[in-house]
């Protein structure tokens, strides 16, 4: 009909999106390139688009810096990576094992105080992290959980538990209840119905939510900053430590950032379809 | 949701209350009551089993609740600490009542400054993120599927990067001399800006970092909302000859209201609590203009060892966030989004 005429609205929309994409993506590309540059190129202005890429920064990150023939400056990075895997993984598994059953109870049972209990859990998401962190610090110092993986895993429940319970609840609620009723009429107990009907149907959602919980714990900064010392330092804190008083190791810092981002990004891409519901705690069911 | 009536005691009335009982046909329900199948009632001869079954829901949430409950109790412990002179070096020496709060409200000039900062910061990022996010989400709904998918994939970047890392990245880019941002500005003939070093600009620079990190969240939420809009009202409006602007104002905005509120709720609470990105970018400077209340509390608690006073400051922050989120949640339920 109006072929030949330029659709200005569409064109404007396309321009807006392309402009916004540049704003979003360019810094990330810049960071990635920075991690591949040698010490001379890294801060050169104008930034070198064409340079000799090197993996030196990554090598130093994992193997340490060769100072002289026999002396190697140690690197904390591999340990921080391991710490973060343990803490984020442990926190996710703990929330998963306990949270899915709770989500099931919230979705399918009626009991006194249900909504207020659910909202108590949700309020952990919106409360300042310091509200739990400050007393936890005092407590951990006293009972010896300061600077331990267990301590970090337990406090990380603030992040992973509300997410898991609320999102999995919304997934279970979207499964038609008739399926379970059929199983119950067939003589299964609630556990049987849960196992053969609910779990298989909700498992994609549960998996996606666990991945999201893992990434949130992975990215968390404040707990690792105040509740861990060198032995249990997390990745994000370790990355920040590349800015020291004497010098800033730009290249290594960029490499550490990339190493921190890549697992999170890989995971998030896997669950892209379920992301919106996860991010909004089941409130938006797109 | 289905409803099973609660008994007078507030306990679930039937012994085995699955939400769906109400919908079971009467035959099934009779069988259930007679214990003809499953272990629903048959096993209830053993008293312990029966207790478990009656309180099944509580038993199921108990393990998951143990941890949040412990954390809530820890929060209460924090409230108690705020009434003491807890010092990391000496421990609790005295119960001092509301002295910490009195000190905060009367002597601590930084309290007002930090509250003013988080309020201003929240308003700036909310306005920027919601308007930008809304624009992008609307634009996404008009362009081709391919571009839309590409854009949504690219927006995963800021969403999954740790906020601290993102802030660090921007801090490097915003460097006054070596920063790439200033280089670009000078290249196009604009004066260089001392992004994070100038007290007049730093709050906006930090807000810009926040906008980069969190606008994709707003876009995804609103995009989800736009995709879930019903078709029929728009067709009716078109038949009636309504303009696009009219349809937007009278249909899209009210229908999107719950989604907008969700985005506002999440973003408002997170930016009132802001700590990470400020710690990584400015550490509260220059001249303390970007110190947030959370940052000020952590500084008191951990750098100057005044844990009790830090706990009091966090309690004040908690009350602010609670009031805001309560208000937004009320708006949301009033708007008909009860889930």
């Amino acid at each position: 009909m109006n072929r030949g005429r330029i659709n200005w609205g569409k064109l404007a929309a396309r321009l807006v999106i392309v402009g916004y994409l540049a704003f979003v993506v360019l810094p990330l590309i810049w960071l990635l390139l920075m991690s591949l540059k040698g010490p001379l190129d890294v801060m050169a202005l104008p930034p070198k688009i064409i340079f000799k890429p090197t993996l030196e920064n990554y090598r130093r990150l994992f193997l340490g810096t060769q100072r002289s023939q026999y002396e190697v400056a140690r690197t904390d990075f591999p340990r921080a990576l391991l710490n973060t895997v343990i803490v984020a993984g442990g926190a996710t598994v703990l929330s998963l094992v306990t949270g899915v059953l709770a989500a099931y109870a919230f979705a399918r049972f009626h009991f006194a105080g249900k909504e207020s209990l659910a909202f108590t859990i949700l309020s952990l998401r919106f409360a300042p992290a310091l509200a739990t962190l400050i007393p936890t610090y005092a407590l951990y110092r006293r009972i010896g959980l300061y600077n331990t993986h267990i301590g970090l895993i337990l406090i990380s429940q603030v992040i992973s538990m509300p997410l898991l319970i609320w999102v999995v609840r919304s997934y279970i609620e979207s499964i038609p209840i008739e399926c379970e009723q059929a199983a119950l009429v067939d003589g299964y107990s609630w556990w049987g119905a849960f196992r053969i009907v609910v779990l298989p149907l909700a498992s994609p959602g549960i998996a996606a939510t666990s991945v999201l919980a893992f990434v949130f714990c992975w990215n968390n900064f404040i707990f690792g900053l105040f509740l861990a010392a060198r032995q249990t330092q997390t990745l994000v804190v370790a990355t920040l430590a590349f800015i020291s008083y004497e010098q800033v190791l730009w290249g290594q810092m960029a490499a550490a950032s990339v190493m921190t981002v890549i697992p999170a990004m890989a995971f998030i891409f896997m669950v892209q379809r379920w992301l919106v519901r996860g991010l909004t705690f089941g409130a938006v069911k797109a | 949701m289905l409803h099973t009536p609660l008994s007078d005691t507030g306990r679930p009335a039937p012994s085995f209350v699955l939400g769906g009982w109400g919908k079971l046909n009467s035959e099934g329900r009779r069988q259930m009551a007679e214990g003809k199948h499953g272990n629903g009632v048959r096993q209830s001869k053993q008293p312990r089993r029966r207790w478990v079954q009656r309180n099944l829901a509580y038993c199921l949430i108990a393990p998951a609740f143990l941890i949040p409950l412990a954390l809530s109790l820890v929060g209460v412990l924090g409230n108690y600490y705020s009434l003491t002179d807890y010092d990391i070096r000496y421990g609790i020496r005295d119960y001092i009542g509301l002295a910490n709060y009195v000190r905060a409200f009367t002597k601590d000039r930084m309290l007002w400054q930090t509250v003013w900062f988080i309020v201003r910061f929240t308003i700036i990022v909310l306005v920027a993120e919601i308007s930008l996010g809304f624009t992008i989400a609307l634009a996404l709904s008009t362009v081709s599927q391919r571009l839309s998918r590409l854009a949504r994939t690219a927006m995963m970047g800021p969403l999954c990067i740790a906020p601290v890392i993102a802030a660090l990245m921007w801090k490097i880019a915003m460097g006054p001399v070596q920063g790439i941002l200033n280089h670009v500005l000078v290249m196009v003939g604009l004066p260089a800006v001392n992004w994070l070093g100038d007290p007049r600009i730093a709050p906006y620079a930090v807000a810009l970092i926040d906008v980069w990190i969190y606008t994709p969240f707003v876009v995804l939420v609103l995009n989800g909302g736009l995709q879930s809009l019903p078709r029929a009202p728009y067709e009716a409006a078109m038949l009636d000859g309504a303009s696009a602007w009219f349809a937007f104002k009278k249909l899209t905005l009210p229908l999107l209201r719950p989604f907008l509120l969700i985005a506002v709720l999440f973003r408002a609470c997170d930016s009132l609590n802001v700590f990470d990105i400020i710690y990584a970018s400015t550490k509260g400077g220059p001249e303390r203009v970007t110190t947030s209340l959370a940052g000020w509390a952590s500084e008191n608690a951990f750098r100057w060892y005044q844990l009790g006073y830090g706990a009091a400051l966090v309690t004040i922050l908690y009350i602010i966030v609670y009031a805001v989120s309560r208000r937004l949640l009320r708006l949301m339920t009033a708007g008909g989004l009860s889930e």
Side-chain angles (χ1 to χ4, degrees):
Chain A
M1 281 180 294
N2 50 8
R3 194 179 300 164
R5 265 180 59 199
I6 302 169
N7 189 334
W8 289 107
K10 271 211 167 133
L11 190 70
R14 213 167 288 166
L15 278 179
V16 165
I17 288 175
V18 170
Y20 178 66
L21 281 188
F23 172 60
V24 165
V25 174
L26 283 181
L28 291 171
I29 293 174
W30 175 69
L31 185 72
L32 180 68
L33 290 182
M34 198 158 95
S35 76
L36 297 171
K37 287 176 181 173
L40 286 177
D41 296 335
V42 73
M43 273 285 132
L45 283 178
K48 290 189 182 170
I49 310 274
I50 298 153
F51 60 95
K52 213 170 128 224
T54 163
L55 289 175
E56 180 64 19
N57 291 320
Y58 291 92
R59 204 182 64 79
R60 287 188 177 183
L61 207 55
F62 284 101
L63 303 176
T65 310
Q66 192 90 31
R67 284 257 173 79
S68 63
Q69 199 178 350
Y70 302 108
E71 187 201 355
V72 176
R74 263 176 3 94
T75 164
D76 290 331
F77 193 80
R79 186 196 268 171
L81 189 66
L82 183 67
N83 284 335
T84 313
V85 170
I86 293 172
V87 169
T92 308
V93 169
L94 184 59
S95 293
L96 190 65
V97 171
T98 55
V100 170
L101 280 177
Y104 179 63
F106 278 126
R108 289 295 196 238
F109 289 82
H110 291 283
F111 49 92
K114 171 167 126 172
E115 287 309 319
S116 48
L117 284 178
F119 269 99
T120 309
I121 295 181
L122 186 65
S123 70
L124 287 175
R125 165 66 180 75
F126 296 111
L130 279 169
T132 40
L133 180 61
I134 288 182
T136 305
Y137 175 84
L139 208 62
Y140 277 11
R141 271 283 156 116
R142 189 161 303 166
I143 61 180
L145 279 177
Y146 176 81
N147 195 16
T148 61
H149 290 132
I150 305 279
L152 284 175
I153 288 173
L154 287 179
I155 186 85
S156 295
Q157 298 301 312
V158 176
I159 308 163
S160 52
M161 192 67 95
L163 176 75
L164 218 89
I165 289 180
W166 271 77
V167 183
V168 172
R169 174 190 179 174
S170 90
Y171 280 115
I172 293 177
E173 276 174 352
S174 63
I175 298 171
I177 199 160
E178 284 76 14
C179 301
E180 275 156 274
Q181 284 166 352
L184 288 168
V185 171
D186 283 351
Y188 284 98
S189 64
W190 73 266
W191 171 249
F194 173 72
R195 208 167 39 93
I196 63 157
V197 177
V198 178
L199 267 189
L201 287 175
S203 56
I206 294 174
T209 316
S210 312
V211 165
L212 211 58
F214 181 83
V215 172
F216 282 178
C217 294
W218 179 275
N219 284 346
N220 180 268
F221 171 66
I222 193 165
F223 296 141
L225 180 69
F226 291 122
L227 293 179
R230 199 179 184 129
Q231 293 81 15
T232 55
Q233 195 179 44
T234 56
L235 212 51
V236 183
V237 182
T239 306
L240 213 57
F242 280 104
I243 303 183
S244 63
Y245 285 110
E246 322 99 75
Q247 57 179 340
V248 181
L249 302 166
W250 298 109
Q252 284 184 56
M253 189 169 72
S257 302
V258 171
M259 287 311 299
T260 311
V261 174
I262 281 178
M265 218 175 255
F267 277 131
I268 293 274
F269 278 123
M270 276 167 21
V271 299
Q272 203 179 338
R273 248 183 70 202
W274 290 276
L275 190 68
V276 175
R277 199 196 288 228
L279 286 173
T280 58
F281 283 60
V284 178
K285 292 173 182 172
Chain B
M1 261 326 282
L2 302 154
H3 261 286
T4 314
L6 295 173
S7 68
D8 296 342
T9 55
R11 278 277 174 75
S15 63
F16 177 41
V17 199
L18 186 66
W21 274 172
K23 263 200 178 172
L24 269 180
N25 57 39
S26 57
E27 174 65 8
R29 211 180 306 172
R30 198 173 47 76
Q31 282 191 347
M32 229 19 103
E34 289 165 12
K36 276 202 177 135
H37 64 88
N39 50 9
V41 186
R42 206 186 300 153
Q43 282 166 359
S44 64
K45 277 171 192 147
Q46 302 146 303
R48 223 172 100 217
R49 260 307 204 356
R50 193 177 183 178
W51 183 88
V52 168
Q53 228 126 55
R54 180 166 305 154
N55 297 295
L56 186 59
Y58 292 106
C59 296
L60 287 181
I61 59 166
F65 219 87
L66 223 56
I67 297 156
L69 191 72
L71 292 168
S72 316
L73 286 181
V74 159
V76 175
L77 186 68
N79 293 343
Y80 168 69
Y81 284 160
S82 74
L83 303 174
T84 67
D85 62 348
Y86 199 129
D87 188 301
I88 290 181
R89 290 161 302 183
Y90 318 116
I92 300 177
R93 282 170 301 182
D94 248 327
Y95 174 83
I96 54 170
L98 292 173
N100 278 329
Y101 294 93
V102 172
R103 174 183 157 195
F105 283 117
T106 56
K107 295 214 189 84
D108 193 349
R109 210 171 44 79
M110 277 302 287
L111 174 72
W112 301 112
Q113 193 178 323
T114 52
V115 168
W116 172 229
F117 170 71
I118 55 172
V119 168
R120 212 162 43 125
F121 178 76
T122 304
I123 292 170
I124 295 170
V125 299
L126 272 183
V127 169
E129 284 166 19
I130 298 289
S131 53
L132 180 62
F134 205 0
T135 312
I136 305 291
L138 282 175
L140 276 182
S141 65
T142 64
V143 299
S144 65
Q145 273 290 318
R146 228 182 53 202
L147 183 60
S148 162
R149 198 172 309 132
L150 176 77
R152 272 178 296 164
T153 307
M155 281 187 300
M156 300 294 139
L159 276 178
C160 50
I161 191 169
V164 176
I165 304 283
L168 195 61
M169 179 183 84
W170 277 98
K171 182 190 174 164
I172 304 170
M174 284 173 171
V177 184
Q178 289 178 304
I180 187 169
L181 224 54
N182 273 348
H183 178 76
V184 174
L185 281 186
V186 172
M187 214 162 61
V188 297
L190 291 167
V193 178
N194 191 358
W195 293 94
L196 297 168
D198 186 330
R200 281 165 305 167
I201 297 166
Y204 297 97
V206 177
L208 175 69
I209 300 175
D210 198 89
V211 168
W212 185 83
I213 300 174
Y214 292 109
T215 304
F217 168 76
V218 179
V219 175
L220 288 185
V221 171
L222 295 183
N223 188 54
L226 283 171
Q227 282 175 349
S228 74
L229 292 185
R231 277 275 159 73
Y234 287 91
E235 283 160 6
M238 210 135 93
L239 280 180
D240 289 348
S243 68
W245 171 243
F246 183 85
F248 175 77
K249 208 172 64 175
K250 293 285 171 183
L251 289 175
T252 308
L253 272 185
L255 286 168
L256 271 187
R257 192 181 123 102
F259 298 93
L260 278 167
L261 279 171
I262 291 271
V264 170
L265 171 72
F266 276 77
R267 292 306 312 126
C269 291
D270 284 356
S271 46
L272 286 172
N273 287 329
V274 64
F275 175 84
D276 288 20
I277 61 169
I278 289 181
Y279 187 94
S281 60
T282 63
K283 287 215 166 148
E287 296 171 22
R288 295 199 158 276
V289 289
T290 60
T291 306
S292 70
L293 185 48
W296 180 232
S298 79
E299 202 175 320
N300 273 288
F302 296 112
R303 192 194 276 178
W304 299 326
Y305 307 118
Q306 298 183 332
L307 211 72
Y309 187 60
L313 290 174
V314 169
T315 307
I316 295 169
L317 175 61
Y318 189 93
I319 291 167
I320 295 172
V321 176
Y322 183 80
V324 169
S325 62
R326 195 59 194 271
R327 178 110 195 91
L328 285 168
L329 278 171
R330 177 123 348 128
L331 278 176
M332 223 172 316
T333 35
L337 187 93
S338 52
E339 295 252 340

